[in-house]
Amino acid sequence: MLQVNYIRENKEDVLKRLAIKNFKDAEKCINEILEKDAKRRAVQKTTDDLKAEANSIAKQIGELMKTGKKEEAEKIKLRTSEIKLKEKELDDELAEIEKQIHAILVTIPNTPNLSVPLGKTPEDNATVFEHGNKPVLYAKAMPHWELTTKYDLIDFELGVKIAGAGFPVYKGKGARLQRALINFFLDRATAAGYLEIQPPIVVNEDSGYGTGQLPDKEGQMYHVGIDNLYLIPTAEVPVTNIYRDVILKETDLPIKNCGYTPCFRREAGSYGKDVRGLNRLHQFDKVEIVQIAHPAQSYEVLEEMRNYVAGLLKELELPFRTLKLCGGDMSFASALTYDMEVWSAAQQRWLEVSSVSNFETFQTNRLKCRFKDGSGKTQLAHSLNGSALALPRIVAALLENNQTENGIKIPSVLIPYCGFDTID
């Protein structure tokens, strides 16, 4: 959530940045906020003046009572009663104005970094890095949804029977490959200095609000109505909320956490060939990395996280590319996002497997996640997160890219985790 004082002091810059995100109502929303903020400050000044008058009267009454001038003191007390009534009216008015400002603020996306490319669709994203050679497969190569049936790794139809479409059942070596990837990703994260967290997979409204899922993405989350809880779309939500309403020390930064969780997304409206097999699921496994960083260092941290994810993909021997997302393809809360995509040889297309984002103060303002600097001043930290990695499309690419006529080869780095080197 943007800060009102920042909007007030940097209106033109805010509008310029929101234009990068193609936010149509930017000028209307910003002007409404500034109008209400001016009114809020006027009401606050009147309230402060009345409090100052009340303090002055209290001193006068004290002096009059000391000198025995009770009648004069009683007359002045009448003004005190008037002030208290007026203060109550103004406090109610102030609360209502602040409520109105907040209602507008939560509808405004984060302002993107000025390096974010202009654009409205994924086609406008900028490729900033590409690694590896696209494999050439044998003539009868199959997409992963056929390979998983051939080798009895994943049963999509059984998942439909038990839960519905988008809830696959992993079996045998397919289940072991899932577990191997999770352990591999967690081991690499802890070796890189991330503290492993095993968080709840449901969150309350305050947590969803804190990281920006609410009120923006409630339609994409599964809601447990009787308890008013939400199944998490990513471990980012519970892990980042560890630091809600927390004041950190500057020396604590950066804080590095990682966590494995199942993730749940309704993906309403998704259909067609691009959602076949593992391409888009309602439930999937993911290891997430989260950092709480000093504002002066957060973009260095973002590059570090981006390079870390790239390192995982190199170890898995997957050809991949890194995209800097354009304004129209970024999330509501992000200031700058890199997407990592792996090449799916059988499908002949790129598959997104990770997003690494800097949210600057957008989440921490909602979370009230702050730190005390060297001078004792309290300021908002920056939050960042990244998929490291999401499993379904990693599995899809591993199966497709490594298939041979005699089976599917396992990348050497995973063999100690899997306990086998070939799926046949």
Side-chain angles (χ1 to χ4, degrees), residues 20-21 110-117 124-128 217 236 288 299 302-303 305-306 321-341 352-360 363 383-387:
I20 297 172
K21 271 200 174 176
N110 197 5
T111 50
N113 185 282
L114 287 174
S115 69
V116 169
D124 299 317
N125 295 334
T127 301
V128 295
K217 294 184 177 66
E236 166 205 346
E288 191 82 357
Y299 278 94
L302 180 66
E303 294 303 318
M305 293 171 72
R306 166 194 161 188
R321 67 180 184 180
T322 303
L323 306 176
K324 181 183 281 190
L325 297 194
C326 70
D329 199 32
M330 292 171 65
S331 75
F332 182 81
S334 173
L336 194 153
T337 295
Y338 291 111
D339 269 7
M340 311 290 189
E341 298 182 337
E352 179 200 331
V353 294
S354 176
S355 283
V356 184
S357 300
N358 187 351
F359 303 103
E360 296 185 356
Q363 290 182 334
S383 66
L384 305 93
N385 81 273
S387 316

Side-chain angles (χ1 to χ4, degrees), residues 266-305:
R266 295 185 64 243
E267 300 287 7
S270 297
Y271 60 91
K273 65 180 179 64
D274 292 346
V275 303
R276 292 196 67 178
L278 297 170
N279 287 346
R280 193 173 295 276
L281 300 175
H282 294 309
Q283 178 182 332
F284 59 95
D285 293 316
K286 180 156 67 83
V287 173
E288 191 82 357
I289 53 174
V290 172
Q291 291 208 40
I292 306 298
H294 193 288
Q297 299 163 352
S298 68
Y299 278 94
E300 291 177 24
V301 169
L302 180 66
E303 294 303 318
E304 170 207 309
M305 293 171 72

Side-chain angles (χ1 to χ4, degrees), residues 7 11 23-24 30 53 75 91 100 169 186 218 226 228 245 267 278 297 319 400 403-405 417:
I7 294 173
K11 177 184 174 181
F23 183 55
K24 294 179 181 178
I30 296 303
E53 184 182 350
K75 288 178 182 179
D91 286 343
Q100 291 171 2
V169 175
L186 286 173
E218 57 266 71
I226 194 168
N228 197 26
D245 297 319
E267 300 287 7
L278 297 170
Q297 299 163 352
E400 293 180 1
Q403 63 181 301
T404 70
E405 294 181 88
Y417 290 92

Side-chain angles (χ1 to χ4, degrees), residues 133-334:
N133 298 315
K134 297 175 183 178
V136 178
L137 303 180
Y138 66 103
K140 294 183 180 180
M142 304 175 183
H144 70 271
W145 53 84
E146 293 180 13
L147 291 169
T148 55
T149 299
K150 178 180 179 179
Y151 295 105
D152 198 23
L153 304 175
I154 302 173
D155 195 324
F156 293 100
E157 292 305 315
L158 185 56
V160 173
K161 172 186 174 181
I162 295 169
F167 296 91
V169 175
Y170 299 85
K171 303 164 64 178
K173 287 186 175 180
R176 289 182 68 182
L177 179 58
Q178 285 281 112
R179 181 154 46 92
L181 283 164
I182 292 165
N183 288 333
F184 168 66
F185 292 147
L186 286 173
D187 284 353
R188 288 296 187 270
T190 53
Y194 289 89
L195 174 69
E196 183 178 350
I197 303 290
Q198 188 172 11
I201 62 171
V202 294
V203 293
N204 54 29
E205 282 187 346
D206 286 345
S207 295
Y209 168 79
T211 46
Q213 276 69 35
L214 298 175
D216 180 52
K217 294 184 177 66
E218 57 266 71
Q220 296 180 28
M221 292 194 291
Y222 286 96
H223 185 221
V224 185
I226 194 168
D227 297 308
N228 197 26
L229 296 172
Y230 293 86
L231 297 179
I232 61 169
T234 165
E236 166 205 346
V237 182
V239 173
T240 310
N241 269 278
I242 291 170
Y243 305 100
R244 174 156 45 93
D245 297 319
V246 171
I247 298 178
L248 302 162
K249 298 176 183 176
E250 190 170 23
T251 53
D252 294 333
L253 304 176
I255 293 173
K256 303 171 70 172
N257 291 151
C258 67
Y260 154 69
T261 64
C263 304
F264 303 87
R265 298 183 186 178
R266 295 185 64 243
E267 300 287 7
S270 297
Y271 60 91
K273 65 180 179 64
D274 292 346
V275 303
R276 292 196 67 178
L278 297 170
N279 287 346
R280 193 173 295 276
L281 300 175
H282 294 309
Q283 178 182 332
F284 59 95
D285 293 316
K286 180 156 67 83
V287 173
E288 191 82 357
I289 53 174
V290 172
Q291 291 208 40
I292 306 298
H294 193 288
Q297 299 163 352
S298 68
Y299 278 94
E300 291 177 24
V301 169
L302 180 66
E303 294 303 318
E304 170 207 309
M305 293 171 72
R306 166 194 161 188
N307 291 330
Y308 169 76
V309 174
L312 295 176
L313 295 172
K314 289 175 183 177
E315 285 196 88
L316 291 173
E317 303 169 40
L318 289 170
F320 71 93
R321 67 180 184 180
T322 303
L323 306 176
K324 181 183 281 190
L325 297 194
C326 70
D329 199 32
M330 292 171 65
S331 75
F332 182 81
S334 173

